[in-house]
């Protein structure tokens, strides 16, 4: 298994441009998440999905959109890039809990480093 | 407001010593806690987790302690090695249906040879 993969690794955008960050997982996990990590800080949740066709906002959703048409893919869309969106973006996935297990850990991808100038 | 935070931003230890990284949380409704290790330029890597109905859990060289009375979580690393140098994050979950995690700011562990 490749786990969680993200592309691109790095990207520089001009203000007002748009782009899509790709995230794919091959573990058949139901749950997927997008976080951003600003320098010296913890991760903040942007959007999440509990299954194909279902998405919901996290803590910092403004300026972003997501879709989940398949179990494997969870792309994050930036429509009008702003300098405040300069950050490292992490995608994560998690299997559905059950069978007496209340929760499982999230598996993270390697991240996409985005700079908006 | 609700938050998950760490007591110290940086912890420096001698190789071979034990390390203790602390974390405070504010919501007594949290039912799942987890520690991640993040090396420079990489994504967070799972270390160990603990449910709220437990007060201690051990892994390989790591132990997590949960004190619900004072809402405190700690990560103990035995015989710290240079490869343990990283940023360590605690996170809490308040909704097992969505699995959403709330992360603290992180503690940098520096291991001196």
């Amino acid at each position: 298994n490749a786990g969680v993969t993200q592309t691109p690794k790095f990207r520089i955008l001009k203000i007002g441009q748009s782009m899509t960050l790709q995230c794919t997982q091959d573990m058949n996990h139901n749950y997927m998440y997008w976080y951003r990590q600003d320098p010296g800080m913890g991760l903040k949740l942007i959007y999440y999905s509990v299954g194909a066709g279902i998405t919901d906002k996290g803590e910092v959703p403004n300026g972003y959109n997501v879709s989940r048409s398949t179990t494997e893919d969870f792309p994050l869309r930036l429509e009008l890039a702003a300098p405040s969106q300069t950050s490292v973006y992490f995608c994560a996935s998690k299997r559905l809990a059950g069978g007496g297990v209340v929760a499982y850990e999230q598996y993270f991808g390697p991240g996409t480093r985005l700079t908006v100038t | 407001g609700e938050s998950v935070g760490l007591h110290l931003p940086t912890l420096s230890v001698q190789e071979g010593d034990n390390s203790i990284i602390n974390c405070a949380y504010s919501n007594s409704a949290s039912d799942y806690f987890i520690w991640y290790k993040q090396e420079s330029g990489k994504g967070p890597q799972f270390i160990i987790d603990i449910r709220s109905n437990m007060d201690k859990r051990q892994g390989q060289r790591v132990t997590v302690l949960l004190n619900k009375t004072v809402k405190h979580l700690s990560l103990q690393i035995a015989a710290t090695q240079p490869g343990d140098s990283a940023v360590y994050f605690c996170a809490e979950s308040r909704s097992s249906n969505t699995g959403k995690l709330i992360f603290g700011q992180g503690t940098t562990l520096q291991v001196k040879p």
Side-chain angles (χ1 to χ4, degrees), chain B residues 61-83:
Chain B
R61 282 202 308 119
V62 295
T63 300
V64 55
L65 298 177
L66 177 62
N67 185 330
K68 293 180 286 294
T69 302
V70 294
K71 299 190 187 72
H72 184 268
L73 190 69
S74 69
L75 176 70
Q76 300 178 358
I77 305 173
T80 311
Q81 303 168 359

Side-chain angles (χ1 to χ4, degrees), chain B residues 48-97:
Chain B
I48 193 168
D49 57 5
I50 188 168
R51 293 172 55 178
S52 58
N53 63 351
M54 304 169 68
D55 54 18
K56 180 179 180 179
R57 191 167 188 217
Q58 289 185 292
Q60 187 176 12
R61 282 202 308 119
V62 295
T63 300
V64 55
L65 298 177
L66 177 62
N67 185 330
K68 293 180 286 294
T69 302
V70 294
K71 299 190 187 72
H72 184 268
L73 190 69
S74 69
L75 176 70
Q76 300 178 358
I77 305 173
T80 311
Q81 303 168 359
D84 295 325
S85 294
V87 179
Y88 290 79
F89 293 96
C90 66
E92 63 176 312
S93 178
R94 300 166 190 172
S95 172
S96 58
N97 286 339

Side-chain angles (χ1 to χ4, degrees), chain A:
Chain A
N1 285 351
V4 180
T5 57
Q6 293 182 239
T7 56
K9 286 187 168 55
F10 303 93
R11 184 71 186 268
I12 298 174
L13 281 182
K14 294 190 186 304
I15 295 171
Q17 287 184 322
S18 62
M19 76 164 293
T20 299
L21 283 68
Q22 302 292 345
C23 175
T24 300
Q25 53 91 9
D26 62 358
M27 298 174 282
N28 201 32
H29 285 172
N30 293 83
Y31 298 87
M32 295 188 76
Y33 308 86
W34 273 106
Y35 294 89
R36 60 176 287 172
Q37 185 177 32
D38 296 330
M41 302 294 287
L43 283 74
K44 292 189 176 179
L45 183 65
I46 305 171
Y47 271 95
Y48 67 99
S49 169
V50 300
I54 305 170
T55 63
D56 206 348
K57 297 177 180 178
E59 187 183 358
V60 289
N62 291 344
Y64 307 94
N65 279 299
V66 293
S67 59
R68 184 97 182 271
S69 57
T70 66
T71 299
E72 296 77 21
D73 301 305
F74 190 40
L76 177 72
R77 179 83 178 160
L78 282 71
E79 290 294 349
L80 290 171
S84 61
Q85 293 178 305
T86 294
S87 190
V88 181
Y89 292 84
F90 290 101
C91 179
S93 72
K94 186 180 81 70
R95 62 184 288 191
L96 180 65
V101 178
V102 72
Y104 289 102
E105 70 272 22
Q106 293 182 19
Y107 291 82
F108 283 82
T112 293
R113 186 175 296 275
L114 177 67
T115 301
V116 182
T117 61

Side-chain angles (χ1 to χ4, degrees), chain B residues 2-113:
Chain B
E2 297 168 344
S3 65
V4 177
L6 293 160
H7 290 309
L8 295 173
T10 303
L11 176 65
S12 185
V13 300
Q14 204 69 40
E15 180 179 357
D17 287 352
N18 296 334
S19 303
I20 300 176
I21 301 172
N22 295 306
C23 181
Y25 66 95
S26 60
N27 192 326
S28 56
S30 293
D31 56 7
Y32 177 72
F33 303 87
I34 190 166
W35 282 98
Y36 281 95
K37 172 186 179 183
Q38 187 176 27
E39 296 174 282
S40 180
K42 296 184 179 179
Q45 179 184 3
F46 169 76
I47 301 173
I48 193 168
D49 57 5
I50 188 168
R51 293 172 55 178
S52 58
N53 63 351
M54 304 169 68
D55 54 18
K56 180 179 180 179
R57 191 167 188 217
Q58 289 185 292
Q60 187 176 12
R61 282 202 308 119
V62 295
T63 300
V64 55
L65 298 177
L66 177 62
N67 185 330
K68 293 180 286 294
T69 302
V70 294
K71 299 190 187 72
H72 184 268
L73 190 69
S74 69
L75 176 70
Q76 300 178 358
I77 305 173
T80 311
Q81 303 168 359
D84 295 325
S85 294
V87 179
Y88 290 79
F89 293 96
C90 66
E92 63 176 312
S93 178
R94 300 166 190 172
S95 172
S96 58
N97 286 339
T98 63
K100 291 191 293 182
L101 293 174
I102 297 176
F103 282 81
Q105 285 190 312
T107 291
T108 299
L109 177 65
Q110 298 174 340
V111 182
K112 296 178 288 187

